[in-house]
Amino acid sequence: MAARFVTRFAPSPTGRLHRGHAFSALCAHEAARAAGGRFLLRIEDIDATRCRSEYEAGIYEDLAWLGLSWEQPVRRQSEHLADYRAALEALAREGLVYRCFRTRKEILAEIGHAPHGAMEAFRGGPLPPDEEARRLAAGEAFAWRLSLSAAEVRLGGFGGLTFVEEGEGPRGETGTVQASPELGGDVVLARKDVGVAYHLAVVVDDALQGITHVIRGQDLFEAAHVQRLLQALLGLPTPVYRHHRLLTGPDGKRYAKRDKAETLAEIRARGVTAAELRRELSFD
């Protein structure tokens, strides 16, 4: 019998964990414990250009120091690329994805000239067959993008797409939320340098691992809209979402790797104990 409550913490090994990661991991771990459910750790290491084995080792070290435990074996995305390829091929067979040869610079320029400015998400479509064949023969790089137009036809519109939010989105969204995948445009699902992209990998993983509750930060709330669409297109179950607040530092900015936020390893080196950090994060 499947567990009634299964959640996960899914970091990318692109740097050491910081307070924000600790808060998110504790939110998921303690929710599973309170529900008598299961807590899984997943390593999202599909971006081989940025992920490092030493950072993955650091994730295990930091979470163990915090007092967390998780099931074994840990799912590492880099070991399951065939699962993501199969999902992409299923979408391709139904004409729901297309090859996009435009560079990021070209797409940003096009978005900037759109009627609603830079906030309007990119929408495109496949090239004429002869031009696509020519560019493929020339070895030009491309990304596989989800076709919102084709998806809308396939589903008869997006009006029936909803998800349950037990936490709160950045604008107070809670309860039954109407999914609006058009906000993200034709998102990239795979590309040459990274392989499969985040949105496709995460919905496949959540389904294969039987995740019933996705507990994560509000910075990923918008991702739920396109992920709900992918679940519908691939016939996958939709988990309950529980987005939590983002921790901010003394400067009011949220903790982030790119801003060189103090890492858990650095906090530990200062002599702070795991119990002290847990109390600071309101997990006594």
Side-chain angles (χ1 to χ4, degrees):
M1 179 178 177
R4 291 190 298 271
F5 191 107
V6 185
T7 192
R8 49 37 169 207
F9 177 59
S12 296
T14 57
R16 292 300 297 252
L17 302 184
H18 51 63
R19 277 182 178 83
H21 294 116
F23 181 75
S24 193
L26 283 164
C27 281
H29 187 270
E30 295 308 294
R33 185 180 63 82
R38 299 166 56 206
F39 173 77
L40 309 182
L41 175 62
R42 182 165 75 220
I43 301 297
E44 298 194 338
D45 61 343
I46 51 176
D47 187 349
T49 64
R50 298 174 59 227
C51 294
R52 299 286 183 271
S53 59
E54 60 266 30
Y55 294 144
E56 181 177 339
I59 289 170
Y60 302 135
E61 178 185 7
D62 291 339
L63 296 182
W65 173 72
L66 278 172
L68 274 60
S69 59
W70 53 90
E71 295 183 13
Q72 298 289 345
V74 172
R75 183 177 175 92
R76 301 175 70 249
Q77 288 185 331
S78 60
E79 297 172 348
H80 299 277
L81 299 180
D83 292 332
Y84 314 132
R85 282 195 295 269
L88 183 65
E89 289 167 1
L91 295 172
R93 284 194 298 270
E94 295 197 46
L96 296 168
V97 294
Y98 63 91
R99 294 183 180 91
C100 179
F101 292 84
R102 302 185 192 193
T103 65
R104 292 183 179 90
K105 183 177 179 181
E106 289 170 340
I107 288 172
L108 287 173
E110 179 161 328
I111 292 173
H113 289 105
H116 302 294
M119 294 303 292
E120 182 166 321
F122 174 76
R123 300 285 290 268
L127 294 174
D130 56 343
E131 183 178 353
E132 182 174 280
R134 177 182 62 78
R135 299 183 77 157
L136 285 173
E140 293 187 31
F142 65 88
W144 284 106
R145 286 186 177 272
L146 176 66
S147 172
L148 281 182
S149 298
E152 194 165 18
V153 171
R154 155 78 184 279
L155 297 177
F158 299 143
L161 293 180
T162 62
F163 60 90
V164 174
E165 174 59 62
E166 288 188 343
E168 187 174 86
R171 288 173 292 280
E173 301 94 337
T174 192
T176 300
V177 178
Q178 173 65 53
S180 301
E182 64 274 8
L183 296 175
D186 290 358
V187 296
V188 171
L189 296 185
R191 55 177 172 259
K192 184 178 180 180
D193 57 340
V194 177
V196 68
Y198 166 73
H199 291 299
L200 184 59
V202 76
V203 298
V204 170
D205 285 338
D206 284 344
L208 289 176
Q209 293 190 288
I211 301 300
T212 63
H213 290 71
V214 171
I215 301 172
R216 60 189 183 187
Q218 288 178 338
D219 55 325
L220 289 171
F221 178 79
E222 300 301 334
H225 293 273
V226 67
Q227 289 168 13
R228 178 65 186 91
L229 172 59
L230 286 170
Q231 290 155 3
L233 295 174
L234 291 167
L236 302 177
T238 300
V240 171
Y241 290 90
R242 189 182 296 178
H243 292 89
H244 58 69
R245 66 184 176 90
L246 301 176
L247 292 192
T248 57
D251 59 0
K253 295 175 62 177
R254 73 180 181 92
Y255 293 109
K257 292 177 184 176
R258 63 176 176 274
D259 294 329
K260 301 190 185 308
E262 184 180 32
T263 67
L264 299 186
E266 291 167 339
I267 292 171
R268 192 158 60 247
R270 287 198 289 106
V272 177
T273 68
E276 288 170 335
L277 181 61
R278 289 174 68 108
R279 283 195 295 271
E280 176 191 326
L281 300 177
S282 301
F283 289 95
D284 294 320

